[in-house]
Amino acid sequence: MSSPKPTPISRRTEPVSPGGSDFEPLLNDEQAARLLGNMHPRTLQRLARTRVVPAIKIGRFWFFRASALNEWIDVQSEHRPCFSKEKE
């Protein structure tokens, strides 16, 4: 008697989050620093370590959500408006 063939395991290439909502990929320190205007990655790591910017530490690496950084920038810009000098 022959044994039944095992069914192949399908692998998902897209991340799946619980609840069916879209998963936002995390940015590493270099990607997030580039997003924040070419800041040096070590400066961003220091800001994350001191909890100035929103970040997630997994193991010894820092990760960032683009949406959280965008909200952080919005809050920062509310407190420090940018003024430009106009020539008269």
Side-chain angles (χ1 to χ4, degrees):
M1 236 176 145
S2 66
S3 62
K5 291 184 178 180
T7 58
I9 299 173
S10 64
R11 294 183 184 239
R12 292 181 178 249
T13 57
E14 299 174 9
V16 177
S17 64
S21 63
D22 293 332
F23 179 80
E24 181 180 2
L26 298 175
L27 305 173
N28 65 26
D29 54 356
E30 290 178 358
Q31 294 166 327
R34 200 172 321 120
L35 185 69
L36 292 172
N38 291 327
M39 177 186 293
H40 196 280
R42 291 216 179 200
T43 302
L44 185 57
Q45 290 172 8
R46 179 177 46 81
L47 293 173
R49 196 171 38 254
T50 57
R51 298 181 183 198
V52 174
V53 297
I56 302 162
K57 189 172 185 184
I58 302 174
R60 60 186 183 116
F61 299 103
W62 288 100
F63 295 95
F64 305 85
R65 285 195 172 120
S67 61
L69 292 175
N70 193 31
E71 289 176 24
W72 177 76
I73 289 171
D74 288 343
V75 169
Q76 298 303 310
S77 64
E78 288 175 5
H79 296 295
R80 296 182 197 128
C82 180
F83 295 103
S84 62
K85 294 182 181 180
E86 295 181 17
K87 292 183 179 182
E88 294 182 24

